[in-house]
Amino acid sequence: MRVCNIFPQFRSLAGGERLGIKITNLLSARGYKVILLTLSMNPECEKELTKGVEVIKFAPFLDRVRNHYWKVFLEHLFVYWLAKLIPEDSDVCLFHKSSSLPALFYFKRFRKAKVPSFYFCYEPPRFLYDLKEETLIRLGIWGRFIQPFYPLLRYLDKKFAQDSDLILAFSEFMRREIERIYLRPVKMIGPLGVDLKGAKEESKGGEKILLTVNRLHPRKRIDILISALPSIIEEYPKIKVLIVGSGPEEMNLKRLVQELGLTEKVNFLGYVADEDLPNFYFLADIYIHLAKNEPFGLSVLEALAFGIPVISVKEGGPGELIKEGETGLFCEPNEKDLAKKTIYLLREEGERLKMGKKASSLVREKFRWEDFIDRLSSLFPDKE
């Protein structure tokens, strides 16, 4: 069976890109002939693909575009062309992320394709909905120009989504959000899986490590973690923060670290390949997650798998992954409450270790990639 994956652009090896690559690799491992159509692919992402996956890049020059908003604009402008590249003998098409919707619309309406087409909705385009005001402010003068077009953009987004045969969601939180916006049934395909190779449950001694693995973007709210650190250090001077990831907020976060005199306490590690991530999970005592309405929270799941208790905001998908008081703690998105919960887990070592063991055990039982791919492939048409 030939499966065509349409993923508009691999800008960096962040959560969505990692998930798209993982699904592609798993389908290939199951024996499907997988074609990956994309406008451009960051070299870091391409390294993660397994052999046997055919990759077609239509606009690789987009890798050289540095401005985030220009990159998004060009992505939506060129994505129609991906629909023209979909092989006619495809048995099923998987459209990933909201920016693939114009390609889905063109594929169904203009090519008159009868191929079953599923829309993997990681999340509706947040710049059109819950992050509208924030986006317009960040765009400055361009925001005032674009604002009158918002009703049209929302209409097109909802219109294009209706052309999919099925919309798929990874968490109950996101399923409800998608149904609220698109006003149609959504199939819950989650939960996702997690790679458990090398996972261990014992605690590490010596210096205490706080870890976060995220794209460095304002909505990840990593600035709250940095701002909470002085209060934590007052109680536990021997502590360090490891920040894995890169993104547009990196310079602002580094500036904040310097202003607070925390350069010896906070390490920015940049991009880390998937195969090397376990090295940092092994080091961590507590994982911190503060992102606003995260669709699922793959890094949270990975931390739990490695026996690390998680302190997280009770928003989005992570709210479904963490059991309060058993595998982690919820906190308000402010530095005071984060510091309070972190100090508690550092002080109560027995409780922290107990949470870590419980987390690892639950993840091993419930979150398997094999089960996820079974659920996905069961939706594919029977091949005679």
Side-chain angles (χ1 to χ4, degrees):
M1 177 177 285
R2 199 172 198 186
V3 179
C4 189
N5 261 349
I6 298 90
F7 199 105
Q9 194 176 178
F10 290 88
R11 300 179 207 150
S12 63
L13 197 59
E17 286 80 358
R18 290 177 63 204
L19 181 53
I21 290 170
K22 187 66 180 181
I23 293 172
T24 299
N25 288 342
L26 288 170
L27 288 172
S28 179
R30 281 289 179 96
Y32 294 103
K33 181 175 176 56
V34 183
I35 299 173
L36 180 60
L37 294 181
T38 185
L39 294 173
S40 67
M41 178 171 268
N42 185 295
E44 298 166 354
C45 297
E46 196 158 6
K47 291 177 184 176
E48 300 293 330
L49 285 172
T50 56
K51 293 181 179 179
V53 175
E54 181 183 351
V55 181
I56 299 176
K57 293 178 280 188
F58 175 74
F61 65 87
L62 288 178
D63 278 340
R64 297 192 292 272
V65 178
R66 291 289 170 254
N67 183 278
H68 171 73
Y69 293 106
W70 271 111
K71 211 163 192 174
V72 172
F73 171 74
L74 292 172
E75 179 178 307
H76 284 77
L77 186 65
F78 286 107
V79 75
Y80 289 95
W81 290 92
L82 293 181
K84 295 184 177 183
L85 299 175
I86 297 174
E88 293 185 0
D89 60 348
S90 298
D91 295 297
V92 63
C93 291
L94 306 178
F95 291 81
H96 295 255
K97 306 185 79 171
S98 60
S99 52
S100 71
L101 286 178
L104 172 60
F105 175 79
Y106 184 94
F107 184 58
K108 286 290 194 177
R109 295 299 181 94
F110 291 93
R111 286 189 59 179
K112 307 293 184 182
K114 303 298 182 183
V115 179
S117 300
F118 304 150
Y119 169 33
F120 269 121
C121 186
Y122 293 29
E123 57 185 350
R126 301 184 68 172
F127 73 93
L128 289 181
Y129 301 103
D130 64 316
L131 295 182
K132 172 189 171 183
E133 298 302 326
E134 177 184 320
T135 301
L136 291 174
I137 291 172
R138 290 176 66 86
L139 285 173
I141 190 171
W142 287 103
R144 291 197 293 272
F145 173 76
I146 293 172
Q147 187 171 12
F149 294 95
Y150 258 70
L152 174 62
L153 294 174
R154 283 183 174 178
Y155 168 79
L156 292 175
D157 176 60
K158 295 175 182 179
K159 177 72 173 176
F160 292 170
Q162 303 307 314
D163 284 306
S164 63
D165 296 299
L166 199 60
I167 299 180
L168 306 177
F170 299 120
S171 67
E172 281 297 329
F173 161 76
M174 193 46 59
R175 182 189 63 78
R176 293 190 297 269
E177 282 295 293
I178 298 168
E179 289 185 344
R180 180 180 65 83
I181 290 173
Y182 294 131
L183 302 178
R184 59 170 290 184
V186 174
K187 175 72 174 178
M188 167 62 172
I189 194 70
L192 300 175
V194 65
D195 295 311
L196 293 171
K197 184 178 180 181
K200 64 178 183 179
E201 300 174 359
E202 67 268 20
S203 177
K204 285 67 61 179
E207 195 170 45
K208 300 302 180 186
I209 302 294
L210 307 182
L211 173 68
T212 187
V213 180
N214 270 298
R215 183 165 181 261
L216 305 187
H217 188 278
R219 68 184 175 97
K220 302 297 184 177
R221 299 192 288 208
I222 296 172
D223 57 312
I224 295 177
L225 169 58
I226 295 171
S227 298
L229 198 53
S231 298
I232 299 171
I233 291 173
E234 286 184 10
E235 294 282 337
Y236 290 90
K238 290 186 177 181
I239 195 166
K240 277 197 174 181
V241 174
L242 303 182
I243 299 175
V244 174
S246 59
E249 192 70 358
E250 185 169 351
M251 293 307 298
N252 290 334
L253 294 173
K254 287 182 175 179
R255 191 178 301 115
L256 178 60
V257 167
Q258 290 180 338
E259 291 173 356
L260 295 176
L262 299 171
T263 52
E264 294 185 359
K265 294 293 185 180
V266 180
N267 291 346
F268 289 89
L269 302 173
Y271 158 74
V272 173
D274 275 7
E275 62 189 29
D276 296 324
L277 277 176
N279 297 329
F280 298 99
Y281 286 123
F282 287 155
L283 291 173
D285 294 281
I286 300 172
Y287 187 87
I288 307 294
H289 178 84
L290 300 167
K292 184 177 182 179
N293 287 330
E294 192 82 350
F296 182 77
L298 187 57
S299 62
V300 171
L301 185 61
E302 290 172 341
L304 294 171
F306 279 85
I308 308 168
V310 175
I311 298 177
S312 170
V313 289
K314 195 174 184 179
E315 300 177 12
E320 301 170 19
L321 300 176
I322 299 165
K323 291 194 173 184
E324 172 78 8
E326 294 185 39
T327 62
L329 298 174
F330 291 119
C331 74
E332 297 298 322
N334 62 67
E335 58 192 75
K336 183 177 180 181
D337 198 42
L338 174 61
K340 177 183 176 181
K341 299 295 173 60
T342 303
I343 291 170
Y344 170 78
L345 281 187
L346 290 172
R347 182 188 300 125
E348 303 295 332
E349 184 174 4
E351 187 71 12
R352 188 176 74 246
L353 297 178
K354 182 180 177 181
M355 285 184 182
K357 290 181 179 180
K358 179 75 170 179
S360 182
S361 176
L362 286 176
V363 168
R364 288 173 183 272
E365 292 175 8
K366 296 185 177 181
F367 298 89
R368 291 163 35 89
W369 281 117
E370 293 82 359
D371 296 337
F372 172 80
I373 289 298
D374 284 343
R375 291 192 295 272
L376 176 59
S377 59
S378 70
L379 302 175
F380 293 172
D382 293 330
K383 187 73 172 176
E384 296 181 359

